[in-house]
């Protein structure tokens, strides 16, 4: 488990386990009591006589005890004592207690409740972190990059909370071991599987059911965990559909992991994720049939080898595969002939990373390593089959690039006054015969003002060699991953942050106040009127250069974040507030003038509370508030005509005059969610009923605005009068949910 | 054909509707909705040897939730003062309003438009902010070569397609923009005899970006119906080709117009704004020079 506190009570001596659960603590010879603790788990206490290097493997059990665990000593590794800032660790148990849309526990939706993280549209799972878009987040599942982390048009994320061990979001002050994205790193680790006995969880909800099964392969040596989820939304939506249309609407997830402890110094892990979404329709008539739809799927797999060279030197070697595909297709059959046209895009990664953790001295933790990824992009692939004309065309556009990085960082404890993590990352990108090298300095540190209060600051230079073209029209998952090229160069950002962190006496509560300032360049957007899907001749699809449809610009974001987070206890939760500004500037958009980002949200407030009334009842609530999204409204209409000598069939009509891009604010967004969980421990299992309501006071938050024009006829005057009304579509009203789950 | 055809859009729209069956629609209330003032809309394209024509309208604001008249009818502003100035020699003229054609029109002999010269257009009208805009007439040094004209004949139910390949011989050391247009001539009987109507108009716009001084290639496509006879129309199968050298405002205006007409209400595309070089107003003031004009029969 990552981030487990390992400390000697009554002292300031301690450390924390790394991402792979490795730790090393150097002490003078003697007798000690060592405590291992992590939020949401039973702490473990060991009495040790230290006269030589002692390997100590510890397993922690999750706890649901309602009584607060007595804390026998202060915990030295608190947020205020860490070198890092802008990091949020979310206890999985806490995540599972937060109310959710339709009862679907969603890790990314809970992350959106943290300061500095905005959501995009109502109900969607996309993360906008400190002004950055969703493409600027590196989402890692067991070391593998996940490119499209969403189901159902972004309304749910891929991550089934039942199979997760830990979840950590870094928004700034990035250590040198992270690279490749500008705005955040979301590191998600799957559970390893119970090595003692077969256990699991199952749940049935309003739109999906899930099952987790874990257990030993060889007791105490090897274990597995399998988790699956499938929606039956297509069945629920059927009554709302026209009779002659058959719809296929579903998504599924499958995660699997196996681990094998070869010996004390070597462990092997194998993990994978597979998920798919399908949205299609079929119509059948006597001589004809048509099927059309949109499908996308993700697959990742990782093989990892942990090795301990000696007591203070650890390594992790990972081999990684990741694949994302999108397909939009239409297929028509008529009188025995078939016409099929499909558009596909995707990205495939094959990579490796080798990381080392070395603790040569008690005051130094040195990390170094390298990673290498071969990307294969398919920005467009068109397949046309027509049995009537005997046409078969397959035009595939493939771009291969290579990305790598090498890093070195040292975390230094400066006596008892502070701690600094300084590092350097060299990133490399190769495409079409051109290599780009970039040096990325990173530094973050804490100055201990008291035992529980510190001042923090950080600087990070990041590069991103991959772009996501996201159409802002209606937000469908037609996101297109493309590489950095000569015409769309790598994105680059520099971020400074500073603030204070205070750990309260009840040390499971942390207060933090941070300010940040981030400049990014070479961010890309579609040109006005552009879309990757518009072409008249499929045989010419590969001639369409996506670079011709995009333009580069800059982004500036700054703001302040306040968080009060209580991670454990009968009452837990957090309050977060963000005050932020995000502006873009593109020479070819908005006449080159800076404009607000669509998701620029001046104020963002989240209040989350979880209260365990008794052993069997937990209630929770979430209230969120955010300034409305910035949109562009048409302000006037006027006539125009194209120039041509004495011709008909010219473009001659009316054009809408838009105001400043994103110059208008939608109504503010706010919403209250509530839930109650009823637990009951039975002989061989524990069951939970959860009753929840999303949008408890039925706030009609705007999802999209549109102009509705109506005409009315005056019989007396014989004239028509027209009105333009601005209307809004609100997506999710008061939505109750119920779910049933068991743990065995 | 578009990969996103009507059937695909239909199913995706239905799937989205299924997803959003919880949703509702209502009027936006209590918001600081924009209350926009009308602006002058000026449009004029000048060329050596052609009449100088300018249209002046007022835009109609979309004042949300306020009842108004139909937007599709716009009255010309007849009382504007439209002044054209040659910025090289300082000569200036006022363009009079033609009540029959409802435009501001000046005969070419009354004011000369010359290649390579910059002109300024000023328009003032009561209750509007005055506007000033400029254009530099292209030098007209380019020439054009048509390398190939291909015709693919269609069937009874399909149009025929004409593909024209060629290039502009681009002068070096200046930024150039070009337009290649084609018409198919139809003729019809109006009761007093046959009259000619130009139909099936298409334009292709290119620029010498990154090809300065070389050949700027264009590929143009148009289509027509064989043996079309509708309401007395006869297709005379005459193809007329116009090749212009245009200024940057002309090019950007027409390219943005092309983009807007292509995307219309397609939700998969970015919204597009119509280019304008009218500061404080709307529309465009631009110029062009005829490089060549030719015609060909089948």
């Amino acid at each position: 488990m990552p981030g487990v506190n390992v400390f000697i009570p009554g002292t300031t001596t301690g450390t924390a386990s790394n991402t792979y659960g490795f730790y090393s603590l150097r002490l003078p010879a003697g007798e000690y009591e060592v405590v291992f603790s992590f939020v949401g788990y039973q702490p473990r206490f060991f009495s040790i006589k230290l006269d030589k290097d002692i390997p100590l493997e510890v397993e922690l059990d999750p706890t649901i005890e309602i009584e607060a665990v007595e804390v026998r000593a202060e915990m030295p590794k608190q947020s205020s004592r860490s070198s890092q800032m802008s990091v949020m660790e979310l206890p999985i148990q806490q995540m599972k207690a937060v109310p959710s849309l339709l009862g679907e526990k969603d890790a990314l939706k809970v992350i959106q409740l943290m300061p500095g993280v905005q959501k995009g549209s109502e109900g969607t799972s996309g993360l906008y972190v400190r002004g950055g878009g969703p493409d600027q987040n590196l989402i890692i599942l067991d070391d593998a990059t996940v490119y499209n982390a969403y189901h159902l048009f972004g309304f749910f994320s891929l991550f089934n909370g039942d199979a997760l061990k830990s979840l950590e979001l870094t928004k700034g002050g990035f250590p040198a071991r992270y690279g490749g994205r500008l705005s955040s790193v979301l590191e998600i680790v799957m559970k390893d599987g119970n090595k003692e006995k077969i256990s699991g969880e199952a749940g049935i909800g309003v739109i999906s059911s899930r099952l987790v099964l874990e257990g030993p392969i060889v007791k105490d040596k090897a274990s597995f965990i399998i988790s699956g989820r499938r929606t039956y939304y297509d069945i629920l939506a059927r009554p709302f559909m026209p009779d002659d249309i058959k719809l296929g609407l579903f998504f599924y997830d499958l995660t699997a992991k196996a681990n094998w402890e070869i010996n004390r110094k070597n462990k092997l892990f194998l993990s994978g994720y597979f998920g798919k979404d399908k949205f299609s329709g079929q119509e059948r008539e006597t001589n004809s049939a048509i099927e059309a739809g949109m499908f996308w799927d993700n697959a990742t797999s990782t093989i990892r080898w942990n090795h301990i060279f000696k007591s203070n030197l650890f390594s992790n070697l990972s081999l990684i595969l990741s694949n994302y595909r999108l397909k939009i297709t239409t297929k028509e059959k008529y009188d025995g002939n078939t016409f099929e046209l499909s558009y596909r895009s995707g990205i495939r990664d094959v990579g490796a990373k080798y990381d080392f953790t070395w603790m040569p001295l008690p005051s130094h933790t040195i990390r170094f390593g390298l990673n290498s990824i071969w990307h294969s992009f398919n920005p467009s692939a068109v397949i046309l089959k027509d049995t009537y004309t005997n046409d078969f065309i397959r035009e595939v556009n493939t771009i291969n690039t290579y990305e790598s990085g090498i890093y070195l960082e040292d975390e230094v404890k400066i006596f008892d006054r502070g701690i600094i993590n300084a590092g350097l990352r060299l990133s490399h990108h190769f495409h079409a015969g051109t290599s780009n090298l970039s040096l990325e300095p990173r530094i973050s540190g804490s100055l201990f003002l008291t035992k529980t209060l510190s001042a923090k600051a950080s600087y990070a230079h990041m590069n991103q060699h991959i772009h996501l073209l996201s159409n802002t029209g209606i937000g469908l998952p037609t996101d297109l991953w493309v590489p950095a090229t000569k015409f769309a160069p790598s994105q680059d950002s520099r971020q400074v942050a500073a603030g204070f962190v205070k750990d309260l006496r009840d040390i499971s509560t942390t207060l933090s106040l941070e300010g940040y300032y981030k400049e990014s360049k070479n961010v890309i957007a579609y040109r006005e009127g552009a879309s990757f899907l518009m072409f008249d001749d499929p045989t010419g699809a590969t001639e369409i250069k996506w670079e011709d449809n995009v333009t580069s610009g800059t982004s500036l974001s700054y703001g302040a974040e306040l968080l009060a987070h209580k991670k454990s206890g009968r009452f837990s939760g957090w309050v977060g507030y963000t005050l932020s500004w995000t502006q873009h500037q593109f020479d070819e958009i908005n006449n080159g003038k800076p404009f607000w980002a669509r998701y620029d949200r001046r104020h963002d407030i989240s209040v989350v509370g979880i209260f365990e009334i008794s052993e069997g009842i937990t209630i929770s609530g979430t209230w969120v508030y955010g300034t409305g999204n910035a949109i562009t409204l048409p302000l006037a209409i006027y006539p125009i005509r194209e120039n041509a000598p004495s011709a008909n069939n010219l473009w001659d009509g009316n054009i809408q005059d838009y105001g400043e891009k994103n110059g208008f604010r939608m109504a503010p967004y706010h919403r209250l969610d509530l839930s109650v969980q009823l637990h009951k421990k039975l002989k061989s299992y524990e069951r939970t009923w959860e009753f929840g309501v999303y949008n408890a006071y039925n706030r009609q938050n705007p999802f999209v605005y549109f102009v509705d024009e109506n005409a009315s006829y005056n019989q007396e005057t014989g004239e028509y009068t027209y009105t333009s009304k601005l209307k809004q579509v609100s997506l999710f009203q008061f939505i109750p949910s119920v779910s049933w789950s068991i743990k065995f | 054909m578009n990969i996103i055809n009507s059937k695909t859009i239909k199913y995706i729209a239905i799937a989205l509707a299924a997803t959003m069956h919880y949703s509702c629609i209502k009027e936006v209330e209590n918001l600081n909705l924009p209350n926009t003032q009308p602006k002058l809309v000026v449009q004029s394209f000048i060329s050596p040897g052609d009449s100088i024509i300018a249209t002046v309208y007022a835009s109609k604001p979309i004042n949300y939730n306020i009842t108004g008249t139909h937007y599709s009818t716009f009255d010309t502003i007849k009382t504007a003062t439209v002044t054209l100035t040659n910025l090289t020699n300082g000569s200036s003229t006022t363009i009079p309003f033609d009540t029959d054609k409802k435009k501001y029109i000046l005969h070419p002999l009354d004011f000369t438009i010359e290649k390579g010269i910059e002109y300024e257009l000023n328009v003032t009208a009561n209750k509007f902010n005055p506007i000033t805009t400029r254009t530099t007439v292209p030098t007209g040094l380019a020439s054009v070569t048509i390398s190939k004209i291909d015709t693919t004949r269609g069937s009874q139910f399909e149009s025929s397609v004409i593909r024209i390949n060629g290039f502009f011989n681009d002068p070096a050391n200046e930024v150039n923009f070009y337009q290649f247009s084609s018409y198919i001539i139809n003729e019809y009987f109006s009761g007093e005899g046959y009259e000619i109507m130009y139909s099936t108009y298409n334009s292709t716009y290119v620029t010498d970006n990154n090809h300065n001084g070389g050949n700027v290639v264009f590929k143009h496509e148009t289509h027509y119906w064989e043996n079309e006879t509708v309401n007395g129309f006869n297709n005379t199968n005459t193809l007329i080709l116009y090749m212009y050298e245009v200024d940057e405002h002309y090019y950007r205006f027409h390219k943005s117009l092309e983009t807007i007409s292509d995307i219309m209400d397609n939700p998969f595309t970015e919204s597009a704004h119509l280019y304008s070089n009218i500061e404080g107003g709307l529309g465009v003031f631009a110029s062009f020079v005829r490089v060549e004009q030719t015609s060909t029969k089948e």
Side-chain angles (χ1 to χ4, degrees):
Chain A
M1 285 179 58
V4 175
N5 299 335
V6 184
F7 67 100
I8 312 298
T11 73
T12 57
T13 303
T15 187
S17 60
N18 71 4
T19 306
Y20 308 103
F22 172 78
Y23 73 95
S24 177
L25 189 59
R26 267 198 163 195
L27 299 163
E31 293 187 9
Y32 300 93
E33 187 177 33
V34 184
V35 182
F36 294 79
S37 70
F38 190 76
V39 173
Y41 288 77
Q42 296 266 17
R44 299 285 301 273
F45 303 87
F46 295 87
S47 294
I48 293 173
K49 184 178 176 186
L50 195 64
D51 53 4
K52 59 180 178 183
D53 291 345
I54 296 178
L56 182 58
E57 287 213 4
V58 179
E59 286 202 19
L60 299 182
D61 290 322
T63 177
I64 55 169
E65 297 297 328
I66 60 166
E67 295 298 327
V69 173
E70 183 185 342
V71 176
R72 299 200 298 188
E74 289 185 359
M75 298 160 71
K77 196 227 171 243
Q78 308 156 57
S79 297
S80 59
R81 311 296 279 193
S82 166
S83 64
Q84 278 192 258
M85 63 183 303
S86 312
V87 176
M88 295 185 300
E89 292 170 21
L90 188 62
I92 298 296
Q93 294 302 324
Q94 202 171 49
M95 182 204 86
K96 287 174 151 184
V98 174
S100 54
L101 174 63
L102 294 169
E104 293 291 318
K105 300 303 174 188
D106 190 320
L108 296 193
K109 292 256 183 70
V110 177
I111 289 282
Q112 288 174 350
L113 299 172
M114 291 289 182
V117 184
Q118 319 271 10
K119 65 178 181 305
S121 306
E122 160 89 80
T124 57
S125 302
L127 302 179
Y128 296 78
V129 181
R130 290 189 172 173
D135 64 318
Q136 296 180 355
N137 307 314
L138 181 64
I139 300 177
I140 309 172
L141 179 65
D142 272 16
D143 281 351
T145 302
V146 180
Y147 282 99
N148 185 332
Y150 316 109
H151 285 306
L152 200 67
F153 301 113
F155 290 129
F156 302 102
S157 75
L158 303 184
F159 307 111
N160 181 356
D162 294 338
L164 301 184
K165 178 163 69 178
S166 69
L167 197 148
E168 182 179 279
L169 177 74
T170 305
K171 304 177 290 183
F174 302 97
R177 58 188 179 268
Y178 294 131
R181 298 290 189 278
L182 299 192
S183 287
S184 80
V185 177
L186 179 62
E187 194 158 14
I188 302 169
V189 180
M190 287 199 276
K191 281 185 191 171
D192 289 337
N194 192 329
K195 283 200 188 110
E196 301 287 326
K197 58 176 180 148
I198 297 284
S199 63
E201 298 181 42
I204 299 174
V206 174
I207 66 163
S208 76
S209 287
R210 61 192 192 278
L211 172 68
V212 179
L213 202 59
E214 56 182 308
I217 299 174
V218 176
K219 199 168 187 297
D220 294 327
K221 290 286 275 185
S223 65
F224 74 95
I225 181 169
I226 296 176
S227 160
R229 174 173 60 164
R230 205 268 191 206
T231 180
Y232 25 77
Y233 188 73
D234 38 357
I235 301 167
L236 295 176
R238 201 162 289 165
F240 301 93
M241 296 298 106
D243 292 334
D244 57 341
I245 293 178
K246 185 178 165 189
L247 287 187
L249 306 174
F250 73 84
F251 68 81
Y252 74 78
D253 283 321
L254 183 70
T255 49
K257 187 169 181 178
N259 72 86
W260 176 30
E261 188 174 332
I262 302 169
N263 53 42
R264 193 181 59 76
K265 291 194 174 186
N266 293 281
K267 286 185 190 172
L268 266 182
F269 301 84
L270 175 64
S271 56
Y273 167 84
F274 310 93
K276 183 167 184 164
D277 278 73
K278 176 180 174 181
F279 286 82
S280 66
Q282 285 182 26
E283 251 182 294
R284 287 188 186 279
E285 293 172 4
T286 312
N287 292 326
S288 67
I290 181 166
E291 180 179 353
M294 182 185 289
F295 315 85
W296 64 98
D297 55 69
N298 274 290
T300 70
S301 60
T302 310
I303 300 175
R304 267 199 299 123
W305 170 48
N306 286 173
H307 177 64
I308 298 175
F309 291 91
K310 47 183 185 173
S311 61
N312 63 352
L313 179 60
F314 163 89
S315 75
N316 175 78
L317 173 66
S318 296
L319 302 177
I320 303 152
L321 280 175
S322 179
N323 192 43
Y324 168 69
R325 293 182 307 179
L326 165 73
K327 181 168 119 175
I328 300 172
T329 183
T330 182
K331 188 174 179 179
E332 295 183 42
K333 288 183 179 174
Y334 184 78
D335 279 349
N337 290 304
T338 302
F339 171 83
E340 181 178 348
L341 178 64
S342 68
Y343 173 92
R344 301 173 194 203
S345 76
I347 177 171
R348 178 175 299 165
D349 283 358
V350 179
K353 57 192 293 255
Y354 206 3
D355 300 292
F356 295 83
T357 304
W358 180 36
M359 298 161 189
L361 297 167
S363 58
H364 284 261
T365 301
I366 296 174
R367 293 181 178 88
F368 57 96
L370 56 96
N371 74 287
S372 196
I373 310 172
W374 172 74
H375 297 292
S376 179
F377 296 86
N378 289 119
S380 68
V382 177
I383 297 170
L384 167 70
K385 290 182 203 167
D386 189 341
T387 57
Y388 177 69
T389 57
N390 273 331
D391 278 329
F392 176 74
I393 298 163
R394 188 170 184 271
E395 301 273 351
V396 179
N397 186 3
T398 301
I399 305 172
N400 294 316
T401 71
Y402 174 73
E403 181 180 347
S404 62
I406 185 167
Y407 70 91
L408 172 67
E409 61 176 89
D410 186 9
E411 185 176 84
V412 184
K413 292 177 188 171
I414 304 169
F415 305 105
D416 202 28
R417 297 306 308 276
I419 184 168
I420 286 179
N421 184 321
L424 201 57
R425 184 179 182 89
L426 181 67
S427 77
H428 169 248
H429 179 246
F430 177 81
H431 167 250
T434 303
S435 260
N436 287 306
L437 280 172
S438 177
L439 208 54
E440 301 171 11
R442 315 277 178 84
I443 187 165
S444 67
S446 290
L447 176 65
F448 305 147
L449 302 175
T450 69
K451 280 188 178 176
T452 57
L453 173 68
S454 66
K456 295 190 177 227
S458 69
Y459 168 81
H461 177 199
M462 307 288 283
N463 275 281
Q464 181 168 325
H465 306 297
I466 186 172
H467 303 293
L468 179 68
L469 301 183
S470 185
N471 185 280
T472 59
I474 59 174
L476 287 183
T478 49
D479 294 345
L480 199 60
W481 288 99
V482 292
T485 66
K486 191 169 58 171
F487 300 105
S490 299
Q491 300 180 51
D492 177 290
S493 79
R494 286 154 215 265
Q495 181 182 165
V496 294
F500 297 92
V501 176
K502 168 78 177 170
D503 292 298
L504 298 184
R505 279 194 73 81
D506 171 1
I507 54 178
S508 63
T509 301
T510 303
L511 298 176
S512 70
L513 174 65
E514 276 188 37
Y516 67 91
Y517 181 89
K518 181 164 77 174
E519 288 182 351
S520 307
K521 59 181 185 183
N522 298 330
V523 294
I524 65 170
Y526 274 118
R527 287 204 167 101
E528 291 186 350
S531 167
F532 70 100
L533 290 175
M534 294 295 295
F535 46 84
D536 290 329
D537 180 3
T539 59
T542 55
E543 294 173 10
I544 295 171
K545 289 185 180 176
W546 61 266
E547 292 112 314
D548 292 339
N549 282 342
V550 303
T551 182
S552 291
T554 59
S555 172
L556 175 64
S557 52
Y558 50 92
E561 300 161 9
L562 178 65
L563 174 68
H565 190 182
K566 187 172 190 295
K567 291 184 183 176
S568 63
R570 282 185 68 180
F571 178 78
S572 64
W574 66 87
V575 176
Y577 170 68
T578 308
L579 173 67
S580 66
W581 293 260
T582 303
Q583 273 198 324
H584 293 321
Q585 190 275 325
F586 293 84
D587 289 343
E588 295 180 69
I589 298 177
N590 200 40
N591 294 319
K593 289 186 269 185
F595 57 93
W596 298 114
R598 179 178 171 85
Y599 42 82
D600 168 63
R601 209 161 281 136
R602 194 68 63 247
H603 305 282
D604 191 272
I605 302 170
S606 298
V607 180
V608 178
I610 302 162
F611 183 53
E612 296 168 10
I613 296 177
S614 66
E615 189 173 334
I617 303 175
T618 304
I619 60 172
S620 59
T622 301
W623 185 75
V624 295
Y625 174 93
T627 311
N629 283 350
I631 60 171
T632 311
L633 276 189
L635 300 181
I637 294 183
Y638 63 99
I640 56 93
R641 195 172 194 267
E642 67 179 308
N643 181 55
S646 305
N648 297 321
N649 288 343
L650 301 182
W651 212 107
D652 182 355
N654 297 335
I655 289 283
Q656 287 183 327
D657 174 36
Y658 289 90
E660 290 292 313
K661 186 168 175 74
N662 294 343
F664 180 73
R665 289 285 167 169
M666 294 170 79
Y669 180 100
H670 53 90
R671 188 189 85 236
L672 173 68
D673 305 331
L674 299 168
S675 80
V676 57
Q677 293 180 345
L678 307 174
H679 313 284
K680 187 168 184 180
K681 265 192 178 169
L682 297 159
K683 195 174 172 188
S684 54
Y685 65 94
E686 179 187 334
R687 72 104 179 97
T688 298
W689 281 100
E690 179 170 346
F691 300 91
V693 59
Y694 181 91
N695 198 358
Y697 54 75
N698 202 29
R699 160 79 176 169
Q700 290 175 338
N701 290 302
F703 177 69
V704 67
Y705 282 177
F706 67 99
V707 180
D708 186 24
E709 296 196 359
N710 284 303
S712 60
Y713 179 68
N714 186 325
Q715 289 194 335
E716 288 180 9
T717 63
E719 284 183 347
Y720 282 96
T721 53
Y722 296 82
T723 54
S724 287
K725 300 270 186 187
L726 189 64
K727 292 190 174 176
Q728 69 177 47
V729 176
S730 299
L731 207 57
F732 296 125
Q733 310 297 291
F734 177 96
I735 301 178
S737 64
V738 59
S739 63
W740 176 88
S741 60
I742 59 168
K743 204 169 179 179
F744 54 92
Chain B
M1 110 194 51
N2 294 324
I3 182 66
I4 299 292
N5 61 20
S6 58
K7 289 285 187 184
T8 314
I9 290 180
K10 173 183 170 185
Y11 293 136
I12 293 172
I14 290 173
L16 278 175
T19 309
M20 293 192 260
H21 63 256
Y22 296 108
S23 66
C24 84
I25 298 174
K26 69 164 195 174
E27 283 181 34
V28 174
E29 295 168 351
N30 301 323
L31 268 191
N32 193 14
L33 293 171
N35 189 10
T36 312
Q37 297 304 311
K39 292 182 188 174
L40 277 179
V41 182
V42 176
Q43 189 164 330
S44 178
F45 300 101
I46 59 174
S47 179
D50 285 358
S51 295
I52 300 162
I53 302 174
T55 57
V56 181
Y57 294 97
S59 67
K60 292 201 174 176
I62 303 173
N63 286 319
Y64 295 95
N65 300 325
I66 296 173
T67 301
T69 53
H70 195 273
Y71 294 121
S72 67
T73 57
F74 291 84
D75 291 326
T76 306
I77 295 179
K78 304 167 193 170
T79 55
T81 303
V82 182
T83 309
L84 184 66
T85 304
N86 179 322
L87 290 178
T88 299
N89 62 25
S91 62
S92 179
T93 186
T94 299
I95 307 174
F97 184 72
D98 184 320
T99 49
D100 286 336
K101 294 189 178 160
K102 297 185 181 175
K103 296 177 185 178
Y104 293 81
I105 302 176
L106 193 66
H107 195 276
L109 294 178
D110 293 334
F111 192 84
T112 306
I113 301 295
E114 296 175 71
K115 296 176 188 177
I117 299 297
E118 188 178 17
Y119 294 86
E120 182 176 278
L121 187 74
N122 293 285
V123 180
T124 56
N126 195 25
K127 296 182 187 174
F128 291 94
N129 291 327
I131 62 105
T132 299
T133 179
R134 294 180 179 183
T135 183
T136 301
V137 180
T139 55
L141 297 176
S143 59
V144 64
T145 302
I146 295 174
S147 42
K148 193 174 171 185
I149 300 180
D150 256 341
T151 303
T152 305
R153 301 223 182 279
S155 66
Q156 182 183 4
F157 304 105
E158 289 180 332
S159 60
S160 299
V161 180
I162 300 175
R163 293 189 179 89
I164 304 166
N165 293 351
F167 55 88
F168 288 94
N169 306 106
D170 181 55
N173 302 320
E174 55 182 60
V175 181
N176 299 101
F177 305 88
Y178 303 100
Q179 174 186 0
F180 186 95
S181 299
S182 64
Y183 295 90
I184 305 289
I185 289 187
N186 289 336
E187 59 181 8
Y188 68 95
F189 184 70
S190 67
E192 295 176 1
Y194 280 93
E195 291 190 24
I196 288 176
M197 188 181 86
Y198 299 88
S199 70
T200 319
Y201 171 75
N202 279 298
S203 285
T204 300
Y205 301 93
V206 292
T207 173
D208 69 353
N209 190 25
N210 296 326
H211 296 280
N212 190 28
N215 291 334
V216 180
V217 172
F218 63 85
K219 292 181 184 178
H220 181 81
E221 189 173 295
T222 188
H223 54 90
Y224 68 100
W225 290 95
E226 298 275 356
N227 304 317
E228 179 183 21
T229 304
V230 178
N231 294 334
F233 283 96
N234 283 321
N235 190 347
T236 61
N237 291 336
T238 302
L239 179 69
I240 298 185
L241 306 175
Y242 288 90
M243 289 139 275
Y244 298 146
E245 190 178 333
V246 304
D247 80 330
E248 183 178 357
H249 305 303
Y250 188 113
Y251 174 83
R252 292 179 68 180
F253 172 80
H254 284 90
K255 285 296 283 185
S256 63
L257 191 57
E258 212 173 56
T259 300
I260 289 170
S261 79
D262 280 347
I263 65 174
M264 294 308 284
D265 295 322
N266 189 320
F268 291 91
T269 57
E270 299 293 312
S271 59
H273 295 73
L274 184 63
Y275 174 79
S276 171
N277 66 339
I278 310 288
E279 191 67 36
L282 297 162
V284 66
F285 177 50
S287 53
F288 64 97
V289 170
R290 193 164 292 113
V291 173
E292 193 167 323
Q293 176 180 334
T294 185
S295 66
T296 179
K297 282 208 176 262
E298 185 178 13

